């Protein structure tokens, strides 16, 4: 495959505070780097010849066989396999879901360019996150060089979409709040909305520049090729065990969170827990199973929704405080204060719903991944 074209340098706007709360921490935007040419993997080292029985290991040392206390190491035992596991399972599982995610990226590209429907950016961004999550979940079974390269390049696109999505969510919420509050607060909020809309336009300009870059088309081709022929390195990998491992990581992260902070953890840490939940959910989606796995996916989706509502309220409150300082309008400060109170109410509601959402996820996990 010819090397991917080098990306043109596209200037990045100054990031807004907390923008990466919507873009996954694990999936956060990073400074753009020129596209790297894919290098051929180095040839494996030649096998090392074992020394002859009568050959000294080093000057004056006896051969291994002559060492009186030496005990030969037992060969490594293979990991236990699930009954019915077949060597094509990893490729058969990741290929279709990866292909669907790539198709979703392409399907919502035009709408994301034009900006007519905010759902296009949302769905295109979700698709990029799914690509990265699927590749990460299956990474132990895939070629790590190829997988990490694809995840890194998709991350740049996801970060750009995340900036626009942040603004879409905040603008949509402020329009609804403006209609609810009435004048004079409606007019004051419109002033803040106009600032956010200017930032969103700048973000979309950057997105269009990235989509017009030849490296984007090359990236799509590579993703389609990976979906058609996943770069499997371990065809005997057990996807069920990989998904179970992601759940255990989520469970461990929650235990540590509450052991450290009690029942009222900080906002940022709750958001990070949500990211672990996404990873666990996407890993389980690779299984294509019904029954207990489907119930687990539904429970995790409910947990994500609760924590997502909490995060939306946090980000909007923080950004409103910044905007009030930027515009220096006392009327905007009063209107923003009323919206901020609503944000705090939604945060309280989300925190109240969080324990029950977690209990449902944990109960479903016990059936899907019994210890």
């Amino acid at each position: 495959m010819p090397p991917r074209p080098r990306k043109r340098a596209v200037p990045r706007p100054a990031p807004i505070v907390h923008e990466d709360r919507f873009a996954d921490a694990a999936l956060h935007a990073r400074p753009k780097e020129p596209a790297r040419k894919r290098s051929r993997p180095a040839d494996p080292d030649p096998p090392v010849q074992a020394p002859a029985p009568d050959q000294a290991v080093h000057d004056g040392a006896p051969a291994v066989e002559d060492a009186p206390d030496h005990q030969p190491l037992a060969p490594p035992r293979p990991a236990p396999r699930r009954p019915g596991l077949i060597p094509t399972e990893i490729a058969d599982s990741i290929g279709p879901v990866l292909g669907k995610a790539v198709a979703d990226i392409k399907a919502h590209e035009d709408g994301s360019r034009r900006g007519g429907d905010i759902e296009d950016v949302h769905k295109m961004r979700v698709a990029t996150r799914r690509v990265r999550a699927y590749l990460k979940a299956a990474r132990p079974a895939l070629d790590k060089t190829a997988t990490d390269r694809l995840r890194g390049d998709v991350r740049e696109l996801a970060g750009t979409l995340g900036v626009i999505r942040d603004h879409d969510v905040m603008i949509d919420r402020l329009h609804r709040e403006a209609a609810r509050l009435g004048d004079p607060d409606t007019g004051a909020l419109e002033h803040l909305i106009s600032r956010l809309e200017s930032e969103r336009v700048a973000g979309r300009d950057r997105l269009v520049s990235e989509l017009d870059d030849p490296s984007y088309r090359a990236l799509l081709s590579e993703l389609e090729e990976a979906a058609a022929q996943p770069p499997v390195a371990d065809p005997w990998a057990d996807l069920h065990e990989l998904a179970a491992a992601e759940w255990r990581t989520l469970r461990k992260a929650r235990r540590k969170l509450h052991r450290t902070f009690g029942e009222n953890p900080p906002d940022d840490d709750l958001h990070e827990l949500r990211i672990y939940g996404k990873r666990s959910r996407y890993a389980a989606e690779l299984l294509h199973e019904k029954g207990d796995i489907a119930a687990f996916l539904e429970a995790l989706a409910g947990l994500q929704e609760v924590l997502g509502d909490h995060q939306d309220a946090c980000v909007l409150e923080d950004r409103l405080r910044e905007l009030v300082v930027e515009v220096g309008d006392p009327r905007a400060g009063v209107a923003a204060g009323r919206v901020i109170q609503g944000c705090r109410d939604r945060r309280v509601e989300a925190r109240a719903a969080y324990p029950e959402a977690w209990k449902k996820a944990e109960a479903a996990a016990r059936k899907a991944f019994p210890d």
Side-chain angles (χ1 to χ4, degrees):
M1 178 173 209
R4 190 186 304 171
R6 187 175 297 274
K7 289 187 180 180
R8 299 192 302 269
V10 180
R12 282 180 176 271
I16 64 172
V17 177
H18 305 296
E19 71 176 52
D20 59 351
R21 288 188 172 182
F22 281 98
D24 46 276
L27 310 154
H28 293 320
R30 60 185 174 127
K32 179 182 277 188
E33 300 173 356
R36 303 176 301 280
K37 292 185 179 179
R38 185 183 297 278
S39 58
R40 294 184 59 190
D43 294 332
D45 294 333
V48 178
Q49 292 286 345
D54 57 347
Q55 180 181 350
V57 177
H58 54 77
D59 293 342
V64 170
E65 289 80 0
D66 297 333
D69 297 329
H70 178 269
Q71 295 294 332
L73 295 176
R77 298 180 61 186
R81 303 294 181 182
R82 276 190 303 113
L85 188 68
I86 57 177
T88 60
E89 180 175 304
I90 179 69
D92 292 344
S93 296
I94 195 172
V97 294
L98 192 59
K100 183 181 184 306
V102 176
D104 287 343
I105 292 175
K106 297 170 66 176
H108 296 286
E109 176 188 329
D110 186 58
S112 297
R113 286 175 176 272
R114 292 183 286 104
D117 185 350
I118 65 175
E119 286 302 303
D120 283 308
V121 167
H122 174 56
K123 291 178 180 178
M124 187 176 183
R125 180 187 174 220
V126 167
T128 61
R129 285 163 49 178
R130 286 183 181 276
V131 167
R132 297 191 69 241
Y134 293 148
L135 292 175
K136 181 185 182 301
R139 187 176 183 270
L142 302 178
D143 178 85
K144 291 179 173 53
T145 300
T147 301
D148 291 348
R149 163 76 185 275
L150 286 173
R151 290 188 70 240
D153 290 343
V154 175
R155 180 180 184 178
E156 297 182 11
L157 177 60
T160 303
L161 290 164
V163 172
I164 302 173
R165 177 60 180 171
D166 288 352
H167 286 84
D168 283 344
V169 171
M170 289 187 288
I171 290 170
D172 179 69
R173 185 73 196 190
L174 286 181
H175 274 306
R176 284 184 283 150
E177 293 290 343
R180 182 181 66 85
L181 295 180
D183 288 328
D185 292 331
T186 296
L189 283 183
E190 292 292 343
H191 188 193
L192 301 182
I193 292 172
S194 66
R195 292 290 294 264
L196 292 175
E197 287 177 339
S198 297
E199 294 172 359
R200 179 171 60 179
V201 169
R204 179 162 283 107
D205 288 344
R206 180 184 156 214
L207 173 64
V208 171
S209 295
E210 289 194 17
L211 297 180
D212 286 340
D213 195 290
S215 62
Y216 169 69
R217 294 298 163 192
L219 174 61
L220 287 182
S221 296
E222 288 188 48
L223 289 173
E224 289 173 334
E225 180 181 339
Q229 294 183 318
V232 177
D234 179 8
W236 289 102
D238 190 335
L239 285 176
H240 195 276
E241 175 54 32
L242 294 180
E246 288 290 349
W247 157 250
R248 289 192 292 268
T249 299
L250 167 61
R251 184 178 59 187
K252 181 179 178 181
R254 183 184 180 275
R255 286 176 179 172
K256 181 179 179 181
L257 175 65
H258 287 277
R259 188 167 57 245
T260 304
F261 298 105
E263 295 305 312
N264 192 32
D267 297 335
D268 288 345
D269 295 271
L270 270 183
H271 176 51
E272 188 172 350
L273 189 69
R274 180 187 178 218
I275 293 168
Y276 282 115
K278 291 177 184 178
R279 292 175 179 175
S280 181
R281 179 184 174 190
Y282 293 151
E285 285 182 356
L286 293 175
L287 300 179
H288 298 289
E289 297 178 13
K290 298 181 180 180
D292 292 338
I293 295 297
F296 174 69
L297 291 172
E298 183 179 357
L300 275 187
L303 177 66
Q304 283 183 238
E305 183 176 0
V306 169
L307 296 180
D309 289 343
H310 180 272
Q311 181 65 11
D312 288 352
C314 291
V315 173
L316 180 57
E317 176 181 341
D318 290 345
R319 187 62 184 129
L320 280 174
R321 293 182 184 279
E322 296 166 357
L323 285 173
V324 169
V325 174
E326 292 171 10
V327 301
D329 183 353
R331 295 173 301 173
V334 173
R338 296 182 66 184
V339 177
I340 287 173
Q341 184 57 52
C343 292
R344 293 193 167 189
D345 292 342
R346 292 198 303 277
R347 287 168 57 186
V348 170
E349 292 173 1
R351 281 182 177 267
Y354 158 62
E356 182 62 26
W358 174 260
K359 287 181 181 179
K360 291 180 179 179
E362 196 169 34
R366 281 195 293 268
K367 296 180 178 179
F369 308 112
D371 292 331

